[in-house]
Amino acid sequence: MPSIKVHKPGLCTTIQDIGRIGYQQFGIPVSGVMDEFAFTVANYLVESDKNNAVLEIPFLGPTLEFDFDVTIAITGGEIQAKINNQDVKMWESINVKKGDNLSFGSLKSGMRAYLAFSAEIDVPVIMGSKSTLLKSKLGGFEGRQLKMGDIINFKNVKVLSKKNILDKKYIPTYSHNQNIRIVLGPQDDYFEESSIKTMLENKYQVTKDADRMGMRLAGEVIKHKDKADIISDAAVFGSIQVPGNGQPIILLADRQTTGGYTKIATVIKADLPKLAQMLPNDTIEFSLVNIEEAQKEYREFYRILDEIKESFVVKPRVYTEKQLYVSKKLFGNRRKK
């Protein structure tokens, strides 16, 4: 069976796809990739299904040995990758040969890189997903991050005959200071207007207490009218909780399904990939948009992804009537001798 061997596991390399959709009512977190843009583009580069499982690589990447030919793509945070000690580029398709070794250094910008394959990672599908949820030891490769000596099997392998390269205009830059757009609610009425103003007019720093579940921020205190607690209700990727200490927490991919702290605002869909690439000590400036603007940016996010996918499709050449006429005159009456 086609496989790769893990010689070095990296810091916390896991198998992820888009996540477990439709199970939060049973207390099962969605999980899945942190950066949907980089994940989706990686799969488009290797002409795989947009939800094909990938390796998510935070901070420091693994070293992998391939025992089969396949096409790969590396996207997300800037990371130095080498095949057999030769540098390879990100944001393009790369053909790997049997016996090749793919190695990664540490990330130079951003926090997470993604490795996609023109093949399917052969691990169990649990509740519609191959994603790893570390805290529950669920999904992925035995419910855990990769370790030295692991053998990861693949199926439905193909090798691309053409090279796909993402246009530079689509490649994101990962800044240490990000403007993150939010919509208010659902519990913004638990806060004074002055508190909302405080949040919008000050920078907040990402603390070291940030993982796939949530990102604790430090900055000016956001005060409640009365109390921080509510009857637990649904939590989404991007919910901004404010506990009693007034320091916001942004909930991320592995968030709990419900939460009992007031949620002052929610990060819009289009800006979630920015959060996924933020490091401890990076800073956030929040800006307020309305629902209509958030919906517009949501549509634009997926329109760009569709545009990228279309750019890798080989389109049949369209001939004008004049070109067809000339072609027929030149070649139409030829006979085999």
Side-chain angles (χ1 to χ4, degrees):
M1 178 175 284
S3 65
I4 58 176
K5 184 174 183 178
V6 180
H7 289 297
K8 294 181 180 178
L11 194 61
C12 187
T13 305
T14 58
I15 295 170
Q16 302 290 346
D17 56 23
I18 205 63
R20 293 180 176 82
I21 310 299
Y23 293 91
Q24 288 191 91
Q25 67 266 39
F26 305 115
I28 305 298
V30 174
S31 193
V33 292
M34 289 279 285
D35 184 341
E36 185 178 347
F37 180 85
F39 160 72
T40 306
V41 172
N43 274 326
Y44 286 164
L45 282 164
V46 296
E47 299 181 12
S48 290
D49 181 85
K50 67 180 295 183
N51 192 32
N52 200 36
V54 301
L55 295 186
E56 184 176 82
I57 302 167
F59 293 115
L60 178 68
T63 298
L64 309 169
E65 182 182 351
F66 290 73
D67 84 342
F68 64 109
D69 295 354
V70 70
T71 304
I72 65 169
I74 305 159
T75 64
E78 184 184 357
I79 192 169
Q80 183 58 66
K82 297 176 183 285
I83 294 178
N84 303 328
N85 291 318
Q86 298 295 312
D87 292 348
V88 293
K89 294 181 179 179
M90 297 183 63
W91 302 99
E92 62 180 53
S93 61
I94 305 161
N95 284 344
V96 177
K97 301 292 185 182
K98 181 178 180 179
D100 283 351
N101 280 274
L102 172 65
S103 59
F104 294 91
S106 56
L107 272 90
K108 298 178 180 179
S109 71
M111 185 173 174
R112 293 174 173 87
Y114 292 86
L115 174 60
F117 308 88
S118 62
E120 296 176 32
I121 300 175
D122 191 13
V123 294
V125 177
I126 299 174
M127 300 177 192
S129 174
K130 296 180 181 180
S131 285
T132 310
L133 180 58
L134 293 172
K135 292 182 185 297
S136 300
K137 299 181 180 179
L138 179 71
F141 191 91
E142 299 178 0
R144 59 171 172 81
Q145 65 195 61
L146 300 186
K147 294 181 180 178
M148 183 185 298
D150 284 342
I151 303 292
I152 305 172
N153 294 322
F154 289 78
K155 60 184 180 180
N156 298 327
V157 179
K158 62 183 179 182
V159 179
L160 301 191
S161 59
K162 66 181 180 69
K163 191 172 190 66
N164 293 321
I165 301 175
L166 184 66
D167 192 307
K168 289 182 180 179
K169 69 181 181 182
Y170 297 117
I171 298 176
T173 56
Y174 303 117
S175 168
H176 291 296
N177 180 62
Q178 292 281 12
N179 180 271
I180 299 295
R181 292 167 292 180
I182 59 173
V183 292
L184 290 178
Q187 284 96 35
D188 54 296
D189 57 333
Y190 276 61
F191 301 85
E192 300 285 355
E193 284 189 22
S194 59
S195 295
I196 295 171
K197 187 177 179 182
T198 295
M199 182 179 178
L200 296 174
E201 292 183 351
N202 291 278
K203 288 186 177 182
Y204 287 84
Q205 188 174 58
V206 179
T207 71
K208 62 180 178 60
D209 296 319
D211 57 17
R212 285 179 45 87
M213 186 174 182
M215 177 185 290
R216 289 182 179 271
L217 306 180
E220 291 294 321
V221 171
I222 302 171
K223 296 180 180 179
H224 300 81
K225 288 180 181 177
D226 182 17
K227 57 184 180 179
D229 298 328
I230 58 169
I231 296 173
S232 292
D233 67 357
V236 301
F237 196 160
S239 288
I240 304 176
Q241 291 184 333
V242 183
N245 65 3
Q247 298 296 307
I249 304 168
I250 307 179
L251 303 183
L252 303 175
D254 286 356
R255 68 200 176 273
Q256 69 276 21
T257 58
T258 62
Y261 289 135
T262 47
K263 293 177 285 296
I264 191 171
T266 305
V267 177
I268 71 169
K269 173 75 173 185
D271 284 358
L272 295 179
K274 293 182 186 179
L275 290 178
Q277 297 295 350
M278 298 197 74
L279 294 159
N281 297 322
D282 286 354
T283 55
I284 290 175
E285 295 178 84
F286 293 108
S287 60
L288 187 63
V289 298
N290 59 35
I291 291 292
E292 290 72 24
E293 289 173 297
Q295 290 172 336
K296 179 182 177 182
E297 291 300 320
Y298 177 97
R299 291 190 294 268
E300 180 67 4
F301 178 80
Y302 286 109
R303 186 198 68 77
I304 290 172
L305 285 175
D306 288 343
E307 187 173 276
I308 289 170
K309 181 181 181 181
E310 189 67 18
S311 72
F312 301 141
V313 176
V314 177
K315 300 178 179 63
R317 186 173 176 182
V318 178
Y319 295 93
T320 65
E321 289 187 10
K322 183 177 180 180
Q323 287 172 322
L324 291 170
Y325 174 77
V326 171
S327 178
K328 186 175 182 181
K329 291 289 286 183
L330 289 174
F331 306 109
N333 295 321
R334 286 189 176 182
R335 297 284 188 273
K336 289 184 179 181
K337 292 183 179 180

